[in-house]
Amino acid sequence: MADNLSEALKMLKLSSACSSNDSVESCLDCLLKALAHNNVEASEKILEMGVLPQLPALLSSQSSCTPKVANIIAEVAKNEFMRSPCVEAGLIPPLVQLLNCKDQEILLQTGRALGNICYDSHEGRSAVDQAGGAQLVADHIRALAQNTDPPNGKLLTVFCGMLMNYSNDNDSLQAQLINMGVIPTLVKLLGIHSQNTSLTEMCLIAFGNLAELESSKEQFASTNIAEELVRLFRKQVEHEKKEMIFEVLAPLAENDVIKLQLVEAGLVECLLEVVAQTMDSDREEDMAQLKTASDLMVLLLLGDESMQKLFEGGKGSVFQRVLSWVPSNNHQLQLAGALAIANFARNDGNCIHMVDTGIVQKLLELLDRHVEEGNVTVQHAALSALRNLAIPVVNKSKMLSAGVSDVVLKFLQSEMPPVQFKLLGTLRMLIDTQADAAVQLGTNTKLVERLVEWCEAKDHAGVMGESNRLLSALIRHSKSKDVVRTVIQGGGVKHLVSMAMSEHMIMQNEALVALGLIAALDLGLAEKDFVGANLVQVLHKLLTDERSAPEIKYNSMILICAVMGSEPLHKEVQSLAFIDVVSKLRSHENKTVAHQASLTEQKLTAQS
């Protein structure tokens, strides 16, 4: 075989220049035979003998040899080491030129050759791009889309594969294909050629590539992709095929318009069926499918319209099925069920309905099961759901009566920041306007100590911010001297003073109101901490900073007046010439600020 190959290569070098078509054709046949026998070895030989630069001439003079030459290029380009040499030998322009012909065999082999050269090759893609190959292939696909003859199906599969290899993992080339309008054409193929397994698979892989790009979502949304994918999904029995469709659905379902289209096309029923079939299985592929289906279900609920459609006033069968996942013994389903509740709990009406129908109890039982088992993702999801449910005012007292705060406090020892963050948010939502609960939690020494500890969690800004906000909320909603004392004794004052300098106005304001209440309810006990935390200097900064919002200036002046009863703080106020700062604020454009400035100036003057 090796001798024959060497002979054929020598002859080809000579014959391509001067000989008859027949001798060229027999050389090409010999090459194809050698490549079929041992592709790598034959390709190395072709490279070594310098035959590649002879091929452009053979491609340009179209003859019966042309498809064989293109076939040889397709075969050698299966090897990574041959792709750059193919580009360097100038094969791309004549190959792209062949895309203008009508011969189906030439088009098929040319599509294969270009697709293989582009596979994982920057040089190959770049050369095809410069020669305008992608546009020609896209035009062919569009023109051939309606034809369901088997040879045509094969050609379409090759062309789709070529575009996929051309654009895979390359955002700018994918964007180019999207601008060419490839997406509607491929969606059409999926519908017309649904019986052609190879072609539908190729379309799915192409969709998977293109769907990652944000600019593709709008084009996908203007097609009937949702119906086609759901129809295709219903037909599948093999795990691998379902996985392929899932890989397209997941990025597409990130778009709210497509979410609704998928819900209307019946995807949810398909997903529930997958869950029912796999929930009791311990086979690895079934567990993977259960996770994918339940995750996708949760993703569909992130769209407001799709979520509301499935909620159906709390009577929807989908809503009921998802609720049944929460008490299951499967962690993945528990997680998906809790996340689904959190997603359904995105408006007051839904939240009120869910609390009235006993969902809180299900979540508390789930959390109780995970105090010991400690599945962090389930803890996080259940706490997220409770936090959302606690937002409407009418739900707070009902949830407190159900014992939500007691169960949430069981997670106070958690060392996981995501759980800590949700725990803090849930408690803060619960005590909003609930004075008794704020007193109960605010006098809980263990809780306050943990909050003070988390106020220093510099590695976790979210936990740090939420701890500060809860500390402030306990004081603001309780207005209780006992709570103020617990916070002072727990070392919380310095954190509230730091919070007053936050970059978020809402947090600054919450801190100043809490500090004002501390000063009003127990200035004597707080005095030392106020001095140590440089409270007066902080207030001076806030009042002189032009960027401070009117309410920040207003509350800072209220606080100045409140600390004047303390001798050391009074001295600091005098030494920093607050009267000058405050008198300037009398002409502030905000009337409330200006009025408070007059009152503060009077107080400072009277006590100087």
Side-chain angles (χ1 to χ4, degrees):
M1 181 69 85
D3 292 346
N4 291 351
L5 176 61
S6 300
E7 208 52 47
L9 289 167
K10 277 179 196 163
M11 274 185 69
L12 190 62
K13 285 187 80 168
L14 293 168
S15 58
S16 61
C18 57
S19 255
S20 72
N21 217 24
D22 291 347
S23 61
V24 170
E25 197 147 354
S26 65
C27 293
L28 296 174
D29 287 336
C30 184
L31 258 66
L32 283 167
K33 207 170 179 183
L35 285 162
H37 176 69
N38 187 330
N39 192 313
V40 177
E41 205 173 283
S43 296
E44 283 171 345
K45 199 81 178 158
I46 288 168
L47 187 61
E48 191 186 310
M49 298 277 291
V51 168
L52 289 179
Q54 313 295 319
L55 301 183
L58 289 172
L59 288 171
S60 299
S61 57
Q62 273 188 49
S63 67
S64 58
C65 295
T66 308
K68 288 184 180 178
V69 178
N71 188 1
I72 287 166
I73 297 167
E75 288 302 316
V76 300
K78 285 178 178 177
N79 303 294
E80 191 182 347
F81 67 88
M82 290 298 285
R83 289 171 201 148
S84 290
C86 283
V87 176
E88 286 154 18
L91 297 179
I92 299 292
L95 280 170
V96 168
Q97 208 48 48
L98 288 177
L99 291 171
N100 292 303
C101 82
K102 298 275 185 281
D103 184 289
Q104 199 153 28
E105 184 60 20
I106 291 178
L107 288 173
L108 183 77
Q109 298 304 342
T110 303
R112 287 183 62 234
L114 289 170
N116 290 352
I117 292 171
C118 285
Y119 185 81
D120 231 356
S121 163
H122 172 69
E123 294 85 358
R125 291 169 181 182
S126 188
V128 172
D129 180 23
Q130 281 166 11
Q135 183 68 65
L136 289 168
V137 171
D139 292 343
H140 273 299
I141 296 173
R142 203 169 289 121
L144 299 168
Q146 302 291 340
N147 184 340
T148 54
D149 293 344
N152 188 62
K154 194 174 178 188
L155 184 55
L156 281 168
T157 306
V158 165
F159 278 158
C160 287
M162 180 265 161
L163 289 184
M164 194 185 70
N165 286 354
Y166 171 72
S167 65
N168 191 27
D169 284 337
N170 186 311
D171 286 1
S172 66
L173 294 181
Q174 286 174 356
Q176 183 192 80
L177 293 185
I178 291 164
N179 292 335
M180 286 176 193
V182 161
I183 287 172
T185 308
L186 293 179
V187 174
K188 205 177 283 176
L189 285 186
L190 204 59
I192 297 168
H193 299 266
S194 57
Q195 302 307 314
N196 184 332
T197 311
S198 307
L199 182 52
T200 51
E201 279 184 19
M202 204 55 86
C203 287
L204 287 172
I205 297 167
F207 291 149
N209 287 345
L210 297 171
E212 297 291 345
L213 226 62
E214 207 42 55
S215 58
S216 74
K217 308 279 169 72
E218 215 168 293
Q219 266 199 37
F220 274 118
S222 67
T223 69
N224 64 336
I225 184 77
E227 288 168 45
E228 293 296 355
L229 288 175
V230 171
R231 191 178 50 73
L232 197 62
F233 190 87
R234 285 198 176 111
K235 281 169 51 183
Q236 304 310 321
V237 282
E238 290 172 45
H239 168 76
E240 283 75 17
K241 297 282 168 62
K242 285 183 179 177
E243 276 300 316
M244 280 183 87
I245 301 171
F246 274 142
E247 278 168 27
V248 180
L249 287 168
L252 286 180
E254 286 167 11
N255 177 281
D256 281 0
V257 176
I258 301 174
K259 277 187 184 79
L260 188 60
Q261 290 172 353
L262 289 168
V263 168
E264 287 171 342
L267 178 61
V268 172
E269 289 71 18
C270 295
L271 297 177
L272 290 173
E273 206 173 304
V274 171
V275 170
Q277 287 164 358
T278 54
M279 63 192 292
D280 298 321
S281 168
D282 51 8
R283 281 171 60 209
E284 211 165 298
E285 63 180 41
D286 285 342
M287 284 155 71
Q289 219 173 86
L290 174 73
K291 177 172 169 32
T292 311
S294 53
D295 284 350
L296 192 49
M297 184 79 196
V298 171
L299 183 57
L300 291 176
L301 293 173
L302 278 171
D304 287 338
E305 281 188 80
S306 51
M307 177 273 287
Q308 213 51 44
K309 191 174 178 68
L310 295 171
F311 189 66
E312 288 182 60
K315 295 180 176 62
S317 61
V318 172
F319 172 63
Q320 298 300 331
R321 284 278 287 280
V322 168
L323 284 190
S324 72
W325 296 352
V326 177
S328 86
N329 290 321
N330 184 308
H331 282 186
Q332 176 56 38
L333 281 187
Q334 292 171 358
L335 171 65
L339 287 173
I341 292 172
N343 286 346
F344 279 123
R346 285 211 315 280
N347 62 54
D348 283 6
N350 291 7
C351 288
I352 291 164
H353 177 85
M354 286 195 277
V355 168
D356 288 345
T357 49
I359 282 171
V360 169
Q361 207 47 52
K362 281 189 167 75
L363 290 168
L364 294 183
E365 284 162 14
L366 177 62
L367 277 171
D368 260 332
R369 289 165 71 179
H370 284 276
V371 175
E372 299 307 322
E373 286 177 56
N375 185 302
V376 175
T377 51
V378 175
Q379 291 171 1
H380 181 261
L383 288 167
S384 297
L386 287 172
R387 182 200 173 279
N388 288 3
L389 291 170
I391 292 171
V393 175
V394 294
N395 281 358
K396 297 180 196 293
S397 58
K398 292 173 186 173
M399 290 176 71
L400 287 162
S401 303
V404 171
S405 59
D406 298 336
V407 174
V408 170
L409 285 172
K410 290 179 185 177
F411 295 89
L412 209 51
Q413 296 316 307
S414 172
E415 294 303 329
M416 306 305 289
V419 174
Q420 295 166 355
F421 181 73
K422 287 296 175 187
L423 172 154
L424 293 163
T426 306
L427 290 177
R428 188 165 63 78
M429 283 301 156
L430 277 173
I431 62 165
D432 192 1
T433 71
Q434 305 298 307
D436 292 348
V439 170
Q440 194 185 347
L441 290 172
T443 51
N444 179 329
T445 318
K446 275 188 183 161
L447 171 63
V448 172
E449 281 172 4
R450 195 70 162 136
L451 292 183
V452 169
E453 186 187 322
W454 286 340
C455 282
E456 290 165 10
K458 292 196 167 42
D459 293 343
H460 303 287
V463 172
M464 194 163 95
E466 275 294 341
S467 300
N468 278 302
R469 292 190 76 186
L470 181 53
L471 211 50
S472 155
L474 291 169
I475 294 167
R476 288 181 297 109
H477 296 300
S478 69
K479 298 182 175 61
S480 150
K481 189 167 186 169
D482 290 340
V483 171
V484 163
R485 285 200 160 160
T486 308
V487 171
I488 296 168
Q489 286 160 353
V493 171
K494 64 179 179 184
H495 296 297
L496 291 171
V497 175
S498 298
M499 183 181 166
M501 294 299 286
S502 164
E503 58 198 31
H504 305 291
M505 192 194 81
I506 191 162
M507 287 177 69
Q508 286 185 301
N509 222 20
E510 287 171 0
L512 290 169
V513 173
L515 290 165
L517 284 164
I518 292 173
L521 292 168
D522 205 335
L523 182 58
L525 190 62
E527 181 181 82
K528 194 176 159 196
D529 288 342
F530 279 163
V531 172
N534 298 318
L535 173 66
V536 174
Q537 285 94 317
V538 166
L539 295 173
H540 190 270
K541 259 187 211 159
L542 292 173
L543 286 172
T544 50
D545 188 345
E546 285 174 13
R547 291 166 304 174
S548 292
E551 45 271 65
I552 301 301
K553 292 192 186 298
Y554 175 82
N555 282 321
S556 296
M557 288 188 281
I558 295 279
L559 189 46
I560 285 294
C561 296
V563 300
M564 291 297 283
S566 151
E567 196 181 329
L569 294 168
H570 188 167
K571 277 182 183 163
E572 283 188 42
V573 170
Q574 284 179 316
S575 71
L576 282 170
F578 262 84
I579 288 187
D580 300 345
V581 178
V582 171
S583 66
K584 282 180 190 161
L585 292 173
R586 277 177 24 210
S587 56
H588 195 278
E589 60 187 358
N590 183 295
K591 287 197 172 84
T592 314
V593 171
H595 178 63
Q596 185 57 44
S598 297
L599 295 177
T600 307
E601 188 182 30
Q602 286 166 24
K603 183 148 192 173
L604 292 176
T605 309
Q607 294 191 1
S608 61

